Amino acid sequence: MEAADILGALQAQTAILPGGRDLEGRPLLLVSVPSETQPWNKDHLDTVLRYFLFIFSPETRRNGLAVVLDATRSSWRTARACMRQVGVTMGADAAALIVLRPEAFWDKQRVDNCTRTQKEGEPVYIPVCRLHKYVELSQLPEELGGSCSYDHNQWLQNRIDVEAFTKETEGVVSDLEKLRQRLTRFRAGVRVSSIEEALSLNREMFDTTKDLAHKVLQAGKELLEHFVPNRDLAAPQDLLDTADRVERLLEIIHGKEALIEEAWLAMEKSFVDAKEISSLEEGVSRVTNWILGPAEMMLNGQQEVGFDVISAEELRQEHETMELQCRDTYGHYAELLHKIDRLPRCDIELPEDLRSQRDFMDFVCRSFATRLERRRNVLITSLRFFRLVSEYFDRTNEVFESLLKCDDVENLESADAMLVELQESHINIELLGREVMKEGEKLADILSMPVKDALGRGVEVNYESDIANVLELLDATTARKNIFCDSVEVHKLTLAQVSHIRAYERDAAQAVQWLDDLFQVMLKAHVHVGCNVYEIQSQKEEHQSFQETAKVRDFCPYKRQFNLHTFRVRCVGK
């Protein structure tokens, strides 16, 4: 209900709000009962009273209003009809009903109302002269003998202005709510194109609505300062309640502005989040497609393991080149995993599509990395095997050549050193042979294992020829080992014999030297024969001691035989 809609009823001044209060602080509502010569419309009074009740706040209505019914110029029948209409329209909101009657009315009454007890809720019939007992004169308008100035036309204009502002404010609130609802439609998970389009479409509406809200807020502040410059109890209650309603509207606008700002920031954040998610999806798709496309093709094109050291080394270098090409993709893969896993901690909802794409990319990259690592291990094992085989044959050849060069049994001086060197070489080559067999069996086992691609599907790779080559090399190594061991054992036995001959010859030369020394001693000390028994007995004892010394210096009979045999062999050789 607005004043502009019932302007005729309000201009008739059937009822007014003069702005005063009764002694209990309740706002006054003045109803003028027309005279018998003036027309009276019950509907107009009902409409005006309802409008007045609409102006006041619920709290004010609970406290009640003081209704002053001016019936000084009307008949009792008309006054009673007005009283009845006031009771019907206002009900409990009319806390006090004061009926003003002319002085002649009291002269005709048979019952003295002064002695009657007043009941709560009943009208109070008094003349104008006694009105000051219920309402101070400063709160009454001039037509009732008070000093309160009241301009009804100004009051109407104020109501029209306030209601126009209220209507405009409610429209702004509605526009703000519509804008908020439009902005809140774009939540996490929408596409970048949708949010970007929403930003461009709603930007102008957002700026226009904010400017309009700012103007309304400024107009509301000016309106409050104009109507209620001082918020105290002396101000009319209808203005205070209207000011409260305007302030609530302004607070609603402030709240809506805050919600719109929040929704706009949320939409901008959604746009940023959507761009980030879109970028992550593109990165995941790029990494996955590269692994399943070019990377798989490159790895499928490298299935050889080589047949010697040179070919295996070339294949290993080619594989390292491919690993360098995959390193950038691995870096993007790790970066994408870190960014995607960090989204929930950054208050960004992780879409299910991106989660599925992330898991698939992780599975594909890990499967491809496993296959790439397997290929690397195969090439390293192959290269190590061929190097060990080559080293084994080279070292056995060196030993064979050294055996051929040192086949002269006359060189007895170096036999011991040659024997020690040959034993060390034999031990080292035995260890090397075990490594060759171990690496060969390992390579054959690896080549026999099944191969799977990045999707976990089996890949047909034929390594039968490579496995056959490895087994042939192992057989050749075994045959080489048997020949080498036999040759080395024979040569070790020969060197041991030569070493023994050299030792026996040294012992024989030493024995000859000792015999010569004994002979010289015998010539010097044992050629004289004693002259008496005692001297002869002493010489006999010395001679026996000399014989014992000669026996100790002597060597075993088998040494003499071996030296004799060696001497004969050496003589035949010469």
Side-chain angles (χ1 to χ4, degrees):
M1 185 180 295
E2 297 180 359
D5 299 333
I6 57 172
L7 188 59
L10 292 174
Q11 288 177 344
Q13 299 188 27
T14 305
I16 62 173
L17 293 174
R21 303 171 186 270
D22 65 357
L23 295 179
E24 296 183 9
R26 294 173 294 198
L28 292 179
L29 192 156
L30 179 59
V31 179
S32 299
V33 182
S35 62
E36 294 181 355
T37 59
Q38 294 176 343
W40 180 73
N41 192 329
K42 180 179 68 174
D43 295 334
H44 281 186
L45 179 60
D46 177 71
T47 301
V48 172
L49 292 178
R50 291 183 183 278
Y51 176 72
F52 287 164
L53 293 177
F54 168 76
I55 292 175
F56 291 108
S57 65
E59 183 179 359
T60 302
R61 293 176 61 180
R62 282 195 299 269
N63 295 331
L65 281 72
V67 181
V68 178
L69 189 69
D70 186 7
T72 56
R73 295 184 300 274
S74 65
S75 63
W76 172 244
R77 182 175 58 83
T78 306
R80 188 169 53 187
C82 288
M83 291 169 56
R84 187 181 301 111
Q85 186 61 45
V86 169
V88 171
T89 303
M90 299 187 65
D93 293 332
L97 178 58
I98 302 174
V99 181
L100 301 180
R101 296 297 292 161
E103 295 293 338
F105 173 80
W106 303 106
D107 296 338
K108 296 178 181 180
Q109 295 299 317
R110 297 180 180 180
V111 180
D112 189 5
N113 289 324
C114 296
T115 61
R116 182 182 176 186
T117 303
Q118 181 68 33
K119 295 182 180 180
E120 184 178 357
E122 291 184 351
V124 178
Y125 302 95
I126 59 173
V128 177
C129 61
R130 295 183 59 191
L131 185 58
H132 66 277
K133 293 184 177 181
Y134 298 92
V135 183
E136 293 183 359
L137 295 179
S138 60
Q139 301 294 321
L140 292 173
E142 295 177 354
E143 55 265 27
L144 294 180
S147 59
C148 179
S149 61
Y150 173 74
D151 187 350
H152 188 66
N153 293 329
Q154 184 63 43
W155 184 88
L156 281 177
Q157 187 61 44
N158 291 341
R159 291 305 310 171
I160 292 174
D161 294 341
V162 169
E163 290 171 358
F165 171 78
T166 303
K167 187 175 182 179
E168 182 182 4
T169 303
E170 291 175 350
V172 172
V173 171
S174 177
D175 293 340
L176 291 173
E177 179 62 23
K178 291 178 181 178
L179 179 60
R180 186 191 67 82
Q181 292 178 359
R182 290 188 61 175
L183 296 179
T184 52
R185 293 174 189 169
F186 299 91
R187 293 299 184 186
V190 297
R191 296 295 177 184
V192 178
S193 58
S194 301
I195 298 185
E196 191 171 7
E197 181 181 358
L199 284 173
S200 60
L201 292 177
N202 294 327
R203 185 70 197 186
E204 183 178 358
M205 182 178 179
F206 177 76
D207 295 337
T208 303
T209 307
K210 280 197 64 178
D211 293 340
L212 182 59
H214 179 71
K215 292 179 181 179
V216 169
L217 290 174
Q218 187 64 30
K221 293 179 181 178
E222 294 176 357
L223 186 67
L224 291 175
E225 292 177 358
H226 175 69
F227 288 156
V228 191
N230 296 319
R231 299 294 299 272
D232 53 14
L233 296 178
Q237 188 63 43
D238 59 326
L239 290 182
L240 293 176
D241 291 347
T242 301
D244 291 339
R245 185 178 291 111
V246 171
E247 287 180 349
R248 285 195 297 271
L249 288 175
L250 297 181
E251 290 176 359
I252 292 174
I253 292 178
H254 279 298
K256 293 294 182 181
E257 276 190 325
L259 292 176
I260 288 176
E261 289 287 347
E262 182 180 350
W264 183 264
L265 293 177
M267 189 172 70
E268 288 183 338
K269 182 179 181 299
S270 299
F271 177 67
V272 175
D273 296 345
K275 287 182 64 177
E276 178 68 17
I277 291 174
S278 177
S279 175
L280 292 175
E281 288 179 346
E282 292 177 0
V284 169
S285 177
R286 184 167 56 252
V287 170
T288 304
N289 292 336
W290 190 86
I291 292 293
L292 296 178
E296 281 286 337
M297 292 178 61
M298 287 190 298
L299 194 54
N300 290 334
Q302 295 186 2
Q303 297 183 358
E304 299 178 355
V305 297
F307 52 88
D308 56 9
V309 176
I310 297 176
S311 60
E313 179 64 25
E314 291 178 354
L315 291 174
R316 188 187 66 81
Q317 292 178 357
E318 292 177 0
H319 185 76
E320 287 183 352
T321 303
M322 187 176 69
E323 285 183 333
L324 291 176
Q325 294 177 357
C326 298
R327 186 170 299 174
D328 293 338
T329 303
Y330 285 165
H332 293 316
Y333 158 73
E335 182 181 2
L336 288 171
L337 283 185
H338 174 70
K339 289 183 177 180
I340 293 174
D341 295 338
R342 192 170 53 90
L343 289 180
R345 295 194 295 271
C346 297
D347 196 20
I348 300 176
E349 183 180 355
L350 181 61
E352 288 297 328
D353 293 343
L354 181 57
R355 188 191 304 274
S356 301
Q357 294 175 16
R358 181 258 187 209
D359 295 339
F360 182 68
M361 177 191 68
D362 185 52
F363 170 75
V364 167
C365 290
R366 290 181 182 275
S367 300
F368 179 78
T370 301
R371 184 184 175 190
L372 195 66
E373 181 68 17
R374 180 186 183 278
R375 171 69 180 172
R376 182 173 178 272
N377 293 334
V378 168
L379 293 177
I380 291 176
T381 305
S382 174
L383 179 59
R384 177 174 172 79
F385 171 70
F386 289 126
R387 282 179 177 174
L388 289 174
V389 171
S390 177
E391 183 181 359
Y392 183 81
F393 277 84
D394 291 342
R395 293 183 65 175
T396 52
N397 287 333
E398 291 177 0
V399 174
F400 279 136
E401 291 177 359
S402 65
L403 294 180
L404 293 176
K405 292 179 181 179
C406 301
D407 200 19
D408 186 10
V409 296
E410 296 295 329
N411 190 6
L412 301 179
E413 299 294 335
S414 60
D416 292 336
M418 291 175 60
L419 180 59
V420 173
E421 182 179 357
L422 183 60
Q423 289 176 345
E424 292 179 355
S425 299
H426 190 199
I427 293 173
N428 293 333
I429 291 176
E430 283 289 332
L431 295 176
L432 183 60
R434 294 193 188 98
E435 289 293 327
V436 171
M437 300 302 294
K438 179 180 177 181
E439 290 297 324
E441 293 173 355
K442 178 181 178 181
L443 179 59
D445 292 339
I446 293 177
L447 295 178
S448 301
M449 295 174 62
V451 181
K452 294 184 179 181
D453 61 4
L455 295 176
R457 301 173 299 187
V459 179
E460 295 183 1
V461 181
N462 188 3
Y463 285 127
E464 293 181 359
S465 60
D466 296 313
I467 295 175
N469 182 35
V470 172
L471 296 178
E472 289 178 1
L473 289 175
L474 291 178
D475 294 339
T477 303
T478 302
R480 182 82 168 192
K481 174 184 176 183
N482 295 332
I483 296 173
F484 175 76
C485 289
D486 294 341
S487 300
V488 169
E489 289 297 332
V490 172
H491 207 76
K492 284 168 63 178
L493 181 60
T494 302
L495 289 176
Q497 292 176 352
V498 172
S499 178
H500 291 161
I501 291 172
R502 173 59 182 164
Y504 296 151
E505 287 184 348
R506 286 198 305 268
D507 292 343
Q510 184 66 41
V512 171
Q513 181 64 35
W514 287 343
L515 290 175
D516 185 61
D517 293 341
L518 290 174
F519 178 71
Q520 294 298 329
V521 171
M522 186 183 67
L523 291 178
K524 291 181 180 180
H526 296 278
V527 295
H528 176 69
V529 179
C531 298
N532 52 40
V533 176
Y534 296 105
E535 187 177 356
I536 293 172
Q537 183 66 29
S538 175
Q539 289 179 350
K540 182 180 179 180
E541 292 176 357
E542 291 178 359
H543 185 72
Q544 289 178 351
S545 176
F546 181 75
Q547 285 180 339
E548 292 295 331
T549 302
K551 288 180 180 180
V552 174
R553 297 282 185 174
D554 197 2
F555 47 86
C556 298
Y558 76 90
K559 290 185 178 181
R560 289 197 300 271
Q561 294 176 3
F562 190 81
N563 287 333
L564 180 60
H565 175 72
T566 302
F567 178 74
R568 290 174 180 174
V569 171
R570 291 166 64 86
C571 291
V572 172
K574 292 180 179 180

